[in-house]
Amino acid sequence: MALTRGGRMTILNRIATLALGATAMYYFDPQLGRRRRALLCDTFTALRNDAADCLLSEGKQAADHVRGWTAGARSGLGLDEPPASDRQLTERVRAQLGRLVSHPGAISVTATAGDLTLSGHILAAEHDALLTAVTAMTGVQRVDDRLQVHEDAGNIPQLQGGAER
């Protein structure tokens, strides 16, 4: 048995041929071959479906990222459309409250022609960040700050989780 390629099979070729023959016997067995081939087909179908789902998911995520970048660019250039109504502006501000303060239900928001009025209770540590973020929002002309600022929650029920949202 030579290990050269000069017309003779190398050990690696023999092992590969043996493995191929064993695989063929396994899948073409008269009694269980049909079942084994069906299982193999089902496995490949499942892998193909998983790959397709993964690609679809990644594609949707990439599209979402592009939409986000586009929206960010539009807002950075001042191309965002202003809110269609005071109600829409109020809802935009309310949506931001949940990200900016620990007790958004303790704050009341009203809008009139782009002028916002914020009233209710807020913790001092969150006050400046809220005013900065709300003032920078598209469609906000002026902010009337009527918030009662508290250093800690103390005996204020709205700041202790009892506020309705």
Side-chain angles (χ1 to χ4, degrees):
M1 182 183 320
L3 297 177
T4 64
R5 293 185 180 217
R8 296 185 182 164
M9 290 185 122
T10 63
I11 291 178
L12 190 56
N13 284 344
R14 288 180 187 223
I15 291 172
T17 303
L18 183 65
L20 185 61
T23 302
M25 285 177 53
Y26 182 78
Y27 285 109
F28 293 110
D29 176 34
Q31 293 177 343
L32 296 176
R34 178 180 285 180
R35 179 177 178 273
R36 292 173 181 160
R37 288 190 304 273
L39 287 173
L40 182 66
C41 183
D42 289 347
T43 300
F44 282 129
T45 301
L47 287 173
R48 185 194 68 213
N49 291 340
D50 288 347
D53 290 346
C54 181
L55 289 174
L56 184 63
S57 173
E58 291 295 323
K60 285 181 180 178
Q61 185 177 10
D64 289 343
H65 280 289
V66 169
R67 265 190 239 105
W69 292 331
T70 304
R74 288 177 58 98
S75 69
L77 296 174
L79 299 176
D80 268 351
E81 295 178 13
S85 66
D86 291 334
R87 183 171 186 261
Q88 185 178 7
L89 180 60
T90 301
E91 292 305 317
R92 283 186 186 179
V93 172
R94 296 249 7 115
Q96 287 299 316
L97 284 180
R99 296 178 188 91
L100 298 169
V101 299
S102 55
H103 303 294
I107 298 174
S108 174
V109 180
T110 56
T112 306
D115 294 342
L116 281 181
T117 302
L118 301 175
S119 58
H121 302 275
I122 189 169
L123 295 173
E126 300 170 339
H127 186 248
D128 290 337
L130 172 66
L131 291 180
T132 302
V134 168
T135 302
M137 289 182 69
T138 302
V140 175
Q141 303 298 322
R142 190 177 63 82
V143 176
D144 183 13
D145 179 14
R146 296 183 183 175
L147 293 168
Q148 295 179 23
V149 181
H150 304 279
E151 291 300 320
D152 58 28
N155 292 329
I156 316 295
Q158 293 88 344
L159 297 179
Q160 296 178 353
E164 293 181 20
R165 290 187 182 219

